[in-house]
Amino acid sequence: PYHVVYSIPLLPDSGGTLQEGAGGAYNAHFRRLAETLVAHGEGDAVLRLGWEFNGDWMRWNARADPGAYAAYWRQIVQTMRAVSGARFEFDWCPNLGHFGATEAAYPGDAYVDYIGMDVYDTWWNEAERTNVARRWQNMLTMPGGLRWHREFARAHGKPMTFPEWGLWIRPDGHGGGDNPYFVEKMHEWIGQNEVAYHMYFDDDLFDGEHQLGNGRFPRSQAAYLRLFGESDA
């Protein structure tokens, strides 16, 4: 009964390049993926291709060659849309912040249905470590921040999304921790803007903790349930 969003890697750990993808070398893989999704009743899924491409932590990061990323994206979309029964929508999703090459990696309005952004509560200067209002203000105004996201989506006539957002306890100490203010401001921001969907990243991984129910974020968990409701949780 669910409308599913799938995050689709563009390159495997075993190798491959954006440039080869841009030339169509991997189209057969995406054709097979589209056929499989359609065959299992997922032909209307939202596909978040190569997310967080503006950072350097993904194999498909676009910083060195944003044009190749955009061309590869177009190859994928054309290939998957051509499969009979396909009604996919595609979410172009950078990470919060200006890491380089974001706008240059945009494949064009004809190939994008949503403009997303991944947002986590982190701090990178001492003043923001304890000043949560200042931290949020920086998220709004930084290059590649939340206001940039809104204006870029409006300029291209696309709804906004937040496929990942969440609190963070990081091994390096730069996570915001239990911060109900961040939850409150995200709720406010989502309600004030044309956001098609959002998903709290409710999982703990090697890079830190995000899960609301793990006992580490009691105040934020209460704020989330109060603002977003039990059904959303």
Side-chain angles (χ1 to χ4, degrees):
Y2 299 103
H3 191 189
V4 181
V5 180
Y6 291 103
S7 298
I8 310 297
L10 296 194
L11 297 170
D13 290 341
S14 57
T17 68
L18 293 177
Q19 292 75 20
E20 290 176 343
Y26 311 136
N27 288 358
H29 297 294
F30 291 94
R31 184 177 303 109
R32 185 163 63 251
L33 174 61
E35 292 168 348
T36 301
L37 288 169
V38 170
H40 289 82
E42 295 289 349
D44 65 344
V46 176
L47 306 182
R48 186 174 67 136
L49 304 176
W51 65 101
E52 298 181 7
F53 57 86
N54 57 332
D56 61 3
W57 49 88
M58 297 298 193
R59 285 190 52 81
W60 51 83
N61 85 78
R63 295 169 71 172
D65 193 346
Y69 179 93
Y72 185 14
W73 178 289
R74 291 190 290 268
Q75 289 277 3
I76 295 169
V77 171
Q78 289 171 333
T79 297
M80 298 190 77
R81 282 178 175 169
V83 170
S84 179
R87 294 175 287 120
F88 304 116
E89 295 179 304
F90 295 89
D91 192 329
W92 182 81
C93 181
N95 194 73
L96 175 80
H98 181 70
F99 297 96
T102 304
E103 295 186 19
Y106 187 67
D109 291 343
Y111 302 91
V112 172
D113 297 287
Y114 303 103
I115 293 178
M117 176 167 280
D118 291 352
V119 181
Y120 289 92
D121 183 31
T122 58
W123 60 272
W124 299 103
N125 66 66
E126 191 62 27
E128 293 176 7
R129 183 172 68 86
T130 56
N131 189 331
V132 295
R134 181 166 178 173
R135 192 190 311 161
W136 174 257
Q137 187 64 25
N138 187 42
M139 292 182 191
L140 287 175
T141 60
M142 69 168 64
L146 291 167
R147 287 179 181 165
W148 172 88
H149 177 215
R150 179 174 64 187
E151 295 311 309
F152 191 83
R154 284 177 176 174
H156 291 274
K158 307 294 181 182
M160 300 159 59
T161 69
F162 293 103
E164 295 181 31
W165 70 272
L167 302 153
W168 203 345
I169 296 174
R170 295 169 56 106
D172 63 8
H174 286 283
D178 188 9
N179 180 11
Y181 183 82
F182 175 71
V183 176
E184 292 164 0
K185 298 308 286 187
M186 281 297 296
H187 179 266
E188 180 182 283
W189 186 255
I190 289 166
Q192 289 174 344
N193 292 286
E194 187 185 354
V195 176
Y197 70 86
H198 70 95
M199 293 184 285
Y200 185 91
F201 192 84
D202 199 41
D203 201 5
D204 294 336
L205 299 175
F206 67 93
D207 60 353
E209 297 176 70
H210 312 283
Q211 192 172 16
L212 283 173
N214 70 358
R216 302 295 297 277
F217 306 104
R219 295 181 302 140
S220 300
Q221 181 182 15
Y224 187 95
L225 293 174
R226 171 173 54 85
L227 294 168
F228 290 101
E230 292 280 356
S231 61
D232 195 48

